[in-house]
Amino acid sequence: MARPPKTSDTALLDRAADLVWRVGADAVSIRDLEVDLDLKAPSIYRRFHSRTELISRAIDRYTDTVVAGRIARYFDDADDPVAGLHGFLSTARKPMPGEVHPRGCLLTVTAAQEVHGDPMVRASVDRGLRMIADGLRRTTLRLSASGRLRADMDHETAADLLFVGFEGLVTLARARIDGLDSMVDAVMHAVVAASAADTSETTRTGDLAPPHQP
């Protein structure tokens, strides 16, 4: 009778996502995965069939935990959409627990890698990015309904602008560019009505630490 795997697939995917997020998918070899996952290459291929399938499934796992968790926390469960939006944008500048520098977003990091040309990886990245874009669209709709969206902007355009702004923030954060606090405020002021965009005590209540990597 075959022995059950000593580590679950979900635990391996979390570790693979962490590795790819830290160093970038193109830099991760099968040997790196062997060391990080504590598995030999034949075992990796038996469980995930290929390096790109492992990367794709690791991205899916990241999307279903980290991305979905942040969207629920800062968009769908937020009592105040302004505070929630500020909190979400602020996750771009926060390092993971125990680290000094922010990593940015695994989806954005992978989209800039050659491995993104693989259809399976591209589909996983695109699914995660759509989840973010849809969450922003729901939030700008709430802002519009409450009269806190800029009067000269519709909620679809505002969501597109916020998506571009967020992608810029996570890219600059990973590049260790200074001044991200003011950039977050600038993105907020671009879409939120002036009376509601004041990032004072009310808005800062959404400025919470991002969920831990599972």
Side-chain angles (χ1 to χ4, degrees), residues 56-65 67-68 71 107 120-134:
S56 172
R57 289 182 59 184
I59 292 168
D60 286 337
R61 172 73 177 161
Y62 168 87
T63 294
D64 293 336
T65 53
V67 175
I71 288 173
L107 303 171
M120 190 180 300
V121 174
R122 177 183 289 273
S124 294
V125 170
D126 289 354
R127 183 175 77 92
L129 293 176
R130 281 196 303 272
M131 186 179 290
I132 294 172
D134 289 344

Side-chain angles (χ1 to χ4, degrees), residues 13-195:
L13 290 172
D14 286 340
R15 284 156 62 178
D18 181 69
L19 176 64
V20 171
W21 195 3
R22 282 187 283 111
V23 304
D26 288 350
V28 175
S29 67
I30 283 293
R31 177 57 185 159
D32 296 326
L33 291 167
E34 285 183 307
V35 172
D36 213 70
L37 304 184
D38 192 24
L39 283 178
K40 296 299 183 183
S43 295
I44 294 174
Y45 288 129
R46 276 197 301 271
R47 295 173 76 163
F48 301 106
H49 304 107
S50 69
R51 171 179 170 273
T52 51
E53 180 177 331
L54 172 55
I55 291 171
S56 172
R57 289 182 59 184
I59 292 168
D60 286 337
R61 172 73 177 161
Y62 168 87
T63 294
D64 293 336
T65 53
V66 176
V67 175
R70 290 179 180 179
I71 288 173
R73 182 179 191 180
Y74 295 113
F75 295 158
D76 299 330
D77 297 340
D79 292 332
D80 179 2
V82 175
L85 177 59
H86 189 275
F88 179 78
L89 295 175
S90 296
T91 63
R93 59 178 176 76
K94 293 182 179 295
M96 295 300 291
E99 296 182 359
V100 176
H101 302 292
R103 297 183 181 185
C105 172
L106 174 58
L107 303 171
T108 308
V109 170
T110 308
Q113 304 277 300
E114 287 187 12
V115 75
H116 189 241
D118 177 86
M120 190 180 300
V121 174
R122 177 183 289 273
S124 294
V125 170
D126 289 354
R127 183 175 77 92
L129 293 176
R130 281 196 303 272
M131 186 179 290
I132 294 172
D134 289 344
L136 288 167
R137 192 167 291 108
R138 291 194 299 274
T139 291
T140 56
L141 187 59
R142 289 181 65 193
L143 290 173
S144 179
S146 63
R148 288 186 286 179
L149 193 68
R150 282 182 46 160
D152 60 347
M153 185 172 294
D154 64 85
H155 86 274
E156 294 278 358
T157 300
D160 289 343
L161 193 156
L162 287 169
F163 182 78
V164 172
F166 178 72
E167 289 300 301
L169 287 168
V170 294
T171 300
L172 293 173
R174 189 174 176 90
R176 303 182 186 179
I177 302 299
D178 294 330
L180 290 182
D181 284 354
S182 61
M183 294 181 194
V184 169
D185 289 341
V187 174
M188 291 288 295
H189 280 278
V191 301
V192 179
S195 60

